[in-house]
Amino acid sequence: IVATATGSLSTPASVAATSVGSRAQGAKTVAGTSNGAVTIKSGGVLTVSQAIVTTPGGADTAGGTVVLEAVGGITTQTSGTITTDGSGNAAGGEVLLANATSGNITIGKAISAQGGSSGTPGTASDGGVVTLINAGGNIVLNEAINVSKNAAGTNDGTIQLKASGDITDDANGNLVANGNGLVNAVSTGGKIVLDRNDAIVTDGHSVAKVSLETSGTGGDRSIVFHEASALEVIVATATGSLSTPASVAA
């Protein structure tokens, strides 16, 4: 949430409890890279209602990383965007969301890990890696995940999705990395339907490559993916350097 300082006391030297000040975001850092990392762990359901922002204050610095871990589900809602964009000639910061037990990961507000969103971009202004891992349920994408490079950058990022249940979206759940970016998705106990509720042929996602897999034989294990432009189906290798406090690795 956002917070306003409270308390009525002051010290004899006039240091007031309210000098703690107010917070305009849910969590914010400006150092970038691992120095500006945000790691939040919940022993129950984790609800992100206000923004998490790790965009660097300095030039040519990768965005700070974000790790969110829960036991019972993760939901982003209200103003709970996650932004790890890099500055200048630097990449977007990596993002990892992991849920351990029964509950969904529901993306109700946008995630952005774009390269070179401010300052002077360059060839290193690449997209970041965003990974969602749900060992206890579904992944539901109701808002965009954007891992685009800056126009001056070299590579779009990667979006990785793994669930023990279904992986689905709605019309607002756009996956964006359409230069050369990848969506790598696997369901171990359900279906993959990523079509943005496609009603016309121009709808769909905005990525360049996909690698999609379901496993098991019981129930619906079908795969549907709709792309708005050119698309290549490839094999994929997992990427990312982050792990959660409970050692769930991207």
Side-chain angles (χ1 to χ4, degrees):
I1 64 170
V2 295
T4 301
T6 188
S8 60
L9 298 180
S10 295
T11 70
S14 299
V15 178
T18 53
S19 65
V20 170
S22 301
R23 306 281 78 77
Q25 291 85 22
K28 178 181 179 180
T29 68
V30 296
T33 65
S34 60
N35 290 331
V38 171
T39 301
I40 298 174
K41 178 180 179 180
S42 171
V45 175
L46 177 58
T47 303
V48 180
S49 297
Q50 295 295 329
I52 296 174
V53 183
T54 64
T55 304
D60 302 329
T61 304
T65 60
V66 171
V67 174
L68 304 181
E69 184 173 40
V71 178
I74 300 173
T75 298
T76 63
Q77 63 178 26
T78 315
S79 298
T81 55
I82 299 172
T83 304
T84 65
D85 297 345
S87 65
N89 190 25
E94 187 177 348
V95 177
L96 172 59
L97 277 61
N99 177 55
T101 61
S102 182
N104 294 335
I105 294 179
T106 302
I107 303 303
K109 301 303 294 185
I111 299 174
S112 178
Q114 299 181 68
S117 66
S118 62
T120 303
T123 57
S125 299
D126 294 340
V129 176
V130 174
T131 303
L132 312 181
I133 299 174
N134 192 355
N138 304 322
I139 292 175
V140 183
L141 306 175
N142 295 333
E143 269 291 352
I145 299 176
N146 192 331
V147 294
S148 297
K149 66 181 180 68
N150 184 278
T154 304
N155 292 306
D156 289 309
T158 296
I159 299 168
Q160 302 182 132
L161 309 170
K162 182 177 182 180
S164 64
D166 297 337
I167 300 174
T168 60
D169 61 10
D170 72 2
N172 294 319
N174 194 15
L175 304 177
V176 184
N178 61 355
N180 56 13
L182 167 68
V183 171
N184 179 4
V186 57
S187 170
T188 61
K191 63 184 181 292
I192 298 173
V193 181
L194 297 173
D195 62 359
R196 298 188 66 198
N197 294 341
D198 193 356
I200 57 175
V201 295
T202 54
D203 283 345
H205 292 282
S206 304
V207 300
K209 304 172 184 179
V210 293
S211 183
L212 309 166
E213 178 182 339
T214 64
S215 61
T217 56
D220 186 354
R221 305 299 167 87
S222 60
I223 295 173
V224 177
F225 190 93
H226 289 190
E227 165 60 36
S229 57
L231 183 68
E232 183 179 6
V233 180
I234 65 168
V235 296
T237 301
T239 188
S241 61
L242 295 180
S243 294
T244 70
S247 299
V248 177

